Amino acid sequence: MDVKIEQSWKQALQSEFDKPYFAELVRFLHEEKAGGQVIFPPGNRIFRAFELTPLDQVKVVILGQDPYHGYGQAMGLCFSVPDGVPAPPSLKNIFKEIEDDLGIRMSGRPNLEGWARQGVLLLNAVLTVRASQPASHSGIGWQQFTDSVIRCINDRCEGVVFLLWGNYARAKRELIDTSRHYVLEAAHPSPLARGAFFGCRHFSRTNDILVRQGKTPIDWQL
């Protein structure tokens, strides 16, 4: 199956694209569209996270659950929305934590492509969603695919920092070899989540880990 995805990822994940479940996933999406369903993000943005962060450039992974389901929001990067779209509550809380952690002032710009271009893979576990129906594509095979993405990073990269926020993301810890990589866990940044996201200091801690490895830290300021 020919999937339009950045070349390093395509080579690494070709065996997944060739599996029956992925063919069924693609067939399902075609049927959804043929049936009049509006799917987010647009087709040319489904693999945007991979396009902006090639496999050999991955330094940090932030794991989300599924795309925003409102019109004009989803852009293929977890937690990110396009410029001109109001920042969702979770993203506002992420910015607040960055400001408190690093003592900087965020612009409020909600487009996180600047992080992705520095090696932050902004990966949703589910890559598509029906308009106005959260988690509507959670059972079509995307988790199998993105679990393979995490395993691929685990096997082919070194010293990656995984930021796992909330129970859904934390469950992916079992896919990560913590003798070779770093896992930082906290509550989800959603205002509805239980537990503490504020005070996790994941942004300064991530940069400390990267610097110790001789890697360039992330400029989190947008």
Side-chain angles (χ1 to χ4, degrees), residues 50-72:
F50 302 89
E51 179 182 338
L52 295 178
T53 314
L55 178 57
D56 63 353
Q57 295 179 25
V58 175
K59 296 191 290 188
V60 181
V61 177
I62 298 178
L63 187 66
Q65 190 162 346
D66 69 337
Y68 295 121
H69 55 87
Y71 282 81

PDB file of all heavy atoms in Angstrom, residues 50-72:
ATOM      1  N   PHE A  50       4.676  13.450  11.271  1.00  0.00           N
ATOM      2  CA  PHE A  50       5.803  12.697  10.725  1.00  0.00           C
ATOM      3  C   PHE A  50       6.561  13.540   9.694  1.00  0.00           C
ATOM      4  O   PHE A  50       7.778  13.466   9.599  1.00  0.00           O
ATOM      5  CB  PHE A  50       5.292  11.405  10.085  1.00  0.00           C
ATOM      6  CG  PHE A  50       4.537  10.520  11.034  1.00  0.00           C
ATOM      7  CD1 PHE A  50       3.169  10.672  11.204  1.00  0.00           C
ATOM      8  CD2 PHE A  50       5.184   9.548  11.771  1.00  0.00           C
ATOM      9  CE1 PHE A  50       2.465   9.868  12.084  1.00  0.00           C
ATOM     10  CE2 PHE A  50       4.500   8.743  12.657  1.00  0.00           C
ATOM     11  CZ  PHE A  50       3.139   8.903  12.821  1.00  0.00           C
ATOM     12  N   GLU A  51       5.826  14.343   8.938  1.00  0.00           N
ATOM     13  CA  GLU A  51       6.439  15.199   7.930  1.00  0.00           C
ATOM     14  C   GLU A  51       7.381  16.213   8.567  1.00  0.00           C
ATOM     15  O   GLU A  51       8.484  16.474   8.063  1.00  0.00           O
ATOM     16  CB  GLU A  51       5.340  15.923   7.152  1.00  0.00           C
ATOM     17  CG  GLU A  51       5.839  16.866   6.077  1.00  0.00           C
ATOM     18  CD  GLU A  51       4.702  17.586   5.374  1.00  0.00           C
ATOM     19  OE1 GLU A  51       3.558  17.090   5.409  1.00  0.00           O
ATOM     20  OE2 GLU A  51       4.962  18.657   4.804  1.00  0.00           O
ATOM     21  N   LEU A  52       6.958  16.786   9.693  1.00  0.00           N
ATOM     22  CA  LEU A  52       7.753  17.834  10.341  1.00  0.00           C
ATOM     23  C   LEU A  52       8.866  17.281  11.221  1.00  0.00           C
ATOM     24  O   LEU A  52       9.833  17.992  11.509  1.00  0.00           O
ATOM     25  CB  LEU A  52       6.845  18.737  11.173  1.00  0.00           C
ATOM     26  CG  LEU A  52       5.818  19.568  10.402  1.00  0.00           C
ATOM     27  CD1 LEU A  52       4.963  20.387  11.363  1.00  0.00           C
ATOM     28  CD2 LEU A  52       6.504  20.491   9.397  1.00  0.00           C
ATOM     29  N   THR A  53       8.748  16.036  11.648  1.00  0.00           N
ATOM     30  CA  THR A  53       9.731  15.447  12.563  1.00  0.00           C
ATOM     31  C   THR A  53      10.162  14.080  12.043  1.00  0.00           C
ATOM     32  O   THR A  53       9.642  13.041  12.457  1.00  0.00           O
ATOM     33  CB  THR A  53       9.157  15.300  13.986  1.00  0.00           C
ATOM     34  OG1 THR A  53       8.480  16.503  14.363  1.00  0.00           O
ATOM     35  CG2 THR A  53      10.266  15.025  14.996  1.00  0.00           C
ATOM     36  N   PRO A  54      11.123  14.041  11.106  1.00  0.00           N
ATOM     37  CA  PRO A  54      11.614  12.762  10.606  1.00  0.00           C
ATOM     38  C   PRO A  54      12.172  11.888  11.725  1.00  0.00           C
ATOM     39  O   PRO A  54      12.568  12.386  12.783  1.00  0.00           O
ATOM     40  CB  PRO A  54      12.711  13.173   9.618  1.00  0.00           C
ATOM     41  CG  PRO A  54      12.333  14.560   9.188  1.00  0.00           C
ATOM     42  CD  PRO A  54      11.729  15.189  10.413  1.00  0.00           C
ATOM     43  N   LEU A  55      12.196  10.591  11.469  1.00  0.00           N
ATOM     44  CA  LEU A  55      12.570   9.630  12.501  1.00  0.00           C
ATOM     45  C   LEU A  55      13.923   9.928  13.121  1.00  0.00           C
ATOM     46  O   LEU A  55      14.084   9.877  14.350  1.00  0.00           O
ATOM     47  CB  LEU A  55      12.550   8.217  11.901  1.00  0.00           C
ATOM     48  CG  LEU A  55      12.956   7.065  12.820  1.00  0.00           C
ATOM     49  CD1 LEU A  55      12.087   7.022  14.063  1.00  0.00           C
ATOM     50  CD2 LEU A  55      12.883   5.744  12.061  1.00  0.00           C
ATOM     51  N   ASP A  56      14.912  10.275  12.311  1.00  0.00           N
ATOM     52  CA  ASP A  56      16.253  10.481  12.854  1.00  0.00           C
ATOM     53  C   ASP A  56      16.401  11.807  13.593  1.00  0.00           C
ATOM     54  O   ASP A  56      17.442  12.094  14.157  1.00  0.00           O
ATOM     55  CB  ASP A  56      17.308  10.370  11.756  1.00  0.00           C
ATOM     56  CG  ASP A  56      17.182  11.441  10.679  1.00  0.00           C
ATOM     57  OD1 ASP A  56      16.185  12.203  10.699  1.00  0.00           O
ATOM     58  OD2 ASP A  56      18.080  11.517   9.809  1.00  0.00           O
ATOM     59  N   GLN A  57      15.335  12.622  13.595  1.00  0.00           N
ATOM     60  CA  GLN A  57      15.375  13.898  14.303  1.00  0.00           C
ATOM     61  C   GLN A  57      14.560  13.898  15.600  1.00  0.00           C
ATOM     62  O   GLN A  57      14.504  14.922  16.295  1.00  0.00           O
ATOM     63  CB  GLN A  57      14.872  15.008  13.374  1.00  0.00           C
ATOM     64  CG  GLN A  57      15.767  15.231  12.166  1.00  0.00           C
ATOM     65  CD  GLN A  57      15.239  16.311  11.238  1.00  0.00           C
ATOM     66  OE1 GLN A  57      14.499  17.202  11.652  1.00  0.00           O
ATOM     67  NE2 GLN A  57      15.623  16.244   9.967  1.00  0.00           N
ATOM     68  N   VAL A  58      13.936  12.772  15.935  1.00  0.00           N
ATOM     69  CA  VAL A  58      13.084  12.723  17.120  1.00  0.00           C
ATOM     70  C   VAL A  58      13.923  12.816  18.389  1.00  0.00           C
ATOM     71  O   VAL A  58      14.817  11.996  18.629  1.00  0.00           O
ATOM     72  CB  VAL A  58      12.239  11.429  17.145  1.00  0.00           C
ATOM     73  CG1 VAL A  58      11.447  11.347  18.453  1.00  0.00           C
ATOM     74  CG2 VAL A  58      11.294  11.375  15.958  1.00  0.00           C
ATOM     75  N   LYS A  59      13.637  13.826  19.193  1.00  0.00           N
ATOM     76  CA  LYS A  59      14.297  13.994  20.493  1.00  0.00           C
ATOM     77  C   LYS A  59      13.308  13.879  21.646  1.00  0.00           C
ATOM     78  O   LYS A  59      13.675  13.466  22.747  1.00  0.00           O
ATOM     79  CB  LYS A  59      15.002  15.346  20.566  1.00  0.00           C
ATOM     80  CG  LYS A  59      16.138  15.513  19.571  1.00  0.00           C
ATOM     81  CD  LYS A  59      16.978  16.743  19.851  1.00  0.00           C
ATOM     82  CE  LYS A  59      16.273  18.029  19.566  1.00  0.00           C
ATOM     83  NZ  LYS A  59      17.157  19.220  19.651  1.00  0.00           N
ATOM     84  N   VAL A  60      12.061  14.287  21.379  1.00  0.00           N
ATOM     85  CA  VAL A  60      11.014  14.312  22.400  1.00  0.00           C
ATOM     86  C   VAL A  60       9.733  13.792  21.753  1.00  0.00           C
ATOM     87  O   VAL A  60       9.470  14.064  20.578  1.00  0.00           O
ATOM     88  CB  VAL A  60      10.778  15.749  22.932  1.00  0.00           C
ATOM     89  CG1 VAL A  60       9.695  15.761  24.016  1.00  0.00           C
ATOM     90  CG2 VAL A  60      12.083  16.358  23.448  1.00  0.00           C
ATOM     91  N   VAL A  61       8.945  13.039  22.509  1.00  0.00           N
ATOM     92  CA  VAL A  61       7.627  12.607  22.050  1.00  0.00           C
ATOM     93  C   VAL A  61       6.584  13.092  23.050  1.00  0.00           C
ATOM     94  O   VAL A  61       6.693  12.818  24.249  1.00  0.00           O
ATOM     95  CB  VAL A  61       7.524  11.073  21.909  1.00  0.00           C
ATOM     96  CG1 VAL A  61       6.100  10.667  21.496  1.00  0.00           C
ATOM     97  CG2 VAL A  61       8.540  10.554  20.890  1.00  0.00           C
ATOM     98  N   ILE A  62       5.598  13.847  22.564  1.00  0.00           N
ATOM     99  CA  ILE A  62       4.433  14.196  23.372  1.00  0.00           C
ATOM    100  C   ILE A  62       3.261  13.422  22.786  1.00  0.00           C
ATOM    101  O   ILE A  62       2.991  13.493  21.589  1.00  0.00           O
ATOM    102  CB  ILE A  62       4.147  15.707  23.361  1.00  0.00           C
ATOM    103  CG1 ILE A  62       5.330  16.472  23.974  1.00  0.00           C
ATOM    104  CG2 ILE A  62       2.862  16.020  24.118  1.00  0.00           C
ATOM    105  CD1 ILE A  62       5.158  17.990  23.962  1.00  0.00           C
ATOM    106  N   LEU A  63       2.587  12.667  23.626  1.00  0.00           N
ATOM    107  CA  LEU A  63       1.530  11.775  23.158  1.00  0.00           C
ATOM    108  C   LEU A  63       0.154  12.300  23.543  1.00  0.00           C
ATOM    109  O   LEU A  63      -0.139  12.505  24.720  1.00  0.00           O
ATOM    110  CB  LEU A  63       1.725  10.373  23.737  1.00  0.00           C
ATOM    111  CG  LEU A  63       0.790   9.297  23.199  1.00  0.00           C
ATOM    112  CD1 LEU A  63       1.069   9.030  21.724  1.00  0.00           C
ATOM    113  CD2 LEU A  63       0.926   8.009  24.001  1.00  0.00           C
ATOM    114  N   GLY A  64      -0.670  12.545  22.538  1.00  0.00           N
ATOM    115  CA  GLY A  64      -2.063  12.900  22.759  1.00  0.00           C
ATOM    116  C   GLY A  64      -2.963  11.712  22.481  1.00  0.00           C
ATOM    117  O   GLY A  64      -2.491  10.627  22.139  1.00  0.00           O
ATOM    118  N   GLN A  65      -4.268  11.917  22.595  1.00  0.00           N
ATOM    119  CA  GLN A  65      -5.210  10.809  22.426  1.00  0.00           C
ATOM    120  C   GLN A  65      -5.793  10.772  21.015  1.00  0.00           C
ATOM    121  O   GLN A  65      -5.511   9.864  20.256  1.00  0.00           O
ATOM    122  CB  GLN A  65      -6.321  10.873  23.466  1.00  0.00           C
ATOM    123  CG  GLN A  65      -7.191   9.618  23.496  1.00  0.00           C
ATOM    124  CD  GLN A  65      -7.984   9.498  24.785  1.00  0.00           C
ATOM    125  OE1 GLN A  65      -7.721  10.197  25.768  1.00  0.00           O
ATOM    126  NE2 GLN A  65      -8.930   8.597  24.799  1.00  0.00           N
ATOM    127  N   ASP A  66      -6.635  11.750  20.651  1.00  0.00           N
ATOM    128  CA  ASP A  66      -7.125  11.816  19.284  1.00  0.00           C
ATOM    129  C   ASP A  66      -7.280  13.278  18.883  1.00  0.00           C
ATOM    130  O   ASP A  66      -7.205  14.167  19.736  1.00  0.00           O
ATOM    131  CB  ASP A  66      -8.411  10.999  19.082  1.00  0.00           C
ATOM    132  CG  ASP A  66      -9.623  11.585  19.786  1.00  0.00           C
ATOM    133  OD1 ASP A  66      -9.450  12.348  20.760  1.00  0.00           O
ATOM    134  OD2 ASP A  66     -10.749  11.270  19.380  1.00  0.00           O
ATOM    135  N   PRO A  67      -7.465  13.549  17.588  1.00  0.00           N
ATOM    136  CA  PRO A  67      -7.475  14.942  17.137  1.00  0.00           C
ATOM    137  C   PRO A  67      -8.652  15.738  17.702  1.00  0.00           C
ATOM    138  O   PRO A  67      -9.679  15.175  18.083  1.00  0.00           O
ATOM    139  CB  PRO A  67      -7.602  14.811  15.613  1.00  0.00           C
ATOM    140  CG  PRO A  67      -7.153  13.422  15.298  1.00  0.00           C
ATOM    141  CD  PRO A  67      -7.554  12.602  16.480  1.00  0.00           C
ATOM    142  N   TYR A  68      -8.491  17.049  17.720  1.00  0.00           N
ATOM    143  CA  TYR A  68      -9.620  17.918  18.037  1.00  0.00           C
ATOM    144  C   TYR A  68     -10.731  17.664  17.024  1.00  0.00           C
ATOM    145  O   TYR A  68     -10.477  17.493  15.833  1.00  0.00           O
ATOM    146  CB  TYR A  68      -9.196  19.386  17.977  1.00  0.00           C
ATOM    147  CG  TYR A  68      -8.175  19.795  19.007  1.00  0.00           C
ATOM    148  CD1 TYR A  68      -6.948  20.318  18.621  1.00  0.00           C
ATOM    149  CD2 TYR A  68      -8.445  19.681  20.373  1.00  0.00           C
ATOM    150  CE1 TYR A  68      -6.006  20.719  19.568  1.00  0.00           C
ATOM    151  CE2 TYR A  68      -7.510  20.084  21.326  1.00  0.00           C
ATOM    152  CZ  TYR A  68      -6.296  20.596  20.911  1.00  0.00           C
ATOM    153  OH  TYR A  68      -5.367  20.993  21.846  1.00  0.00           O
ATOM    154  N   HIS A  69     -11.979  17.683  17.490  1.00  0.00           N
ATOM    155  CA  HIS A  69     -13.093  17.330  16.618  1.00  0.00           C
ATOM    156  C   HIS A  69     -13.899  18.544  16.162  1.00  0.00           C
ATOM    157  O   HIS A  69     -14.928  18.396  15.502  1.00  0.00           O
ATOM    158  CB  HIS A  69     -14.019  16.333  17.323  1.00  0.00           C
ATOM    159  CG  HIS A  69     -14.512  16.813  18.658  1.00  0.00           C
ATOM    160  ND1 HIS A  69     -15.637  17.591  18.786  1.00  0.00           N
ATOM    161  CD2 HIS A  69     -14.013  16.642  19.916  1.00  0.00           C
ATOM    162  CE1 HIS A  69     -15.823  17.869  20.071  1.00  0.00           C
ATOM    163  NE2 HIS A  69     -14.857  17.310  20.769  1.00  0.00           N
ATOM    164  N   GLY A  70     -13.437  19.761  16.514  1.00  0.00           N
ATOM    165  CA  GLY A  70     -14.114  20.977  16.067  1.00  0.00           C
ATOM    166  C   GLY A  70     -13.595  21.435  14.716  1.00  0.00           C
ATOM    167  O   GLY A  70     -12.442  21.164  14.345  1.00  0.00           O
ATOM    168  N   TYR A  71     -14.427  22.133  13.980  1.00  0.00           N
ATOM    169  CA  TYR A  71     -14.045  22.619  12.648  1.00  0.00           C
ATOM    170  C   TYR A  71     -12.854  23.577  12.738  1.00  0.00           C
ATOM    171  O   TYR A  71     -12.821  24.470  13.575  1.00  0.00           O
ATOM    172  CB  TYR A  71     -15.235  23.302  11.978  1.00  0.00           C
ATOM    173  CG  TYR A  71     -16.230  22.324  11.408  1.00  0.00           C
ATOM    174  CD1 TYR A  71     -17.176  21.716  12.233  1.00  0.00           C
ATOM    175  CD2 TYR A  71     -16.209  21.976  10.060  1.00  0.00           C
ATOM    176  CE1 TYR A  71     -18.089  20.796  11.719  1.00  0.00           C
ATOM    177  CE2 TYR A  71     -17.114  21.061   9.543  1.00  0.00           C
ATOM    178  CZ  TYR A  71     -18.052  20.483  10.374  1.00  0.00           C
ATOM    179  OH  TYR A  71     -18.944  19.565   9.868  1.00  0.00           O
ATOM    180  N   GLY A  72     -11.872  23.334  11.884  1.00  0.00           N
ATOM    181  CA  GLY A  72     -10.723  24.215  11.780  1.00  0.00           C
ATOM    182  C   GLY A  72      -9.653  24.018  12.836  1.00  0.00           C
ATOM    183  O   GLY A  72      -8.674  24.763  12.859  1.00  0.00           O
TER     184      GLY A  72
END
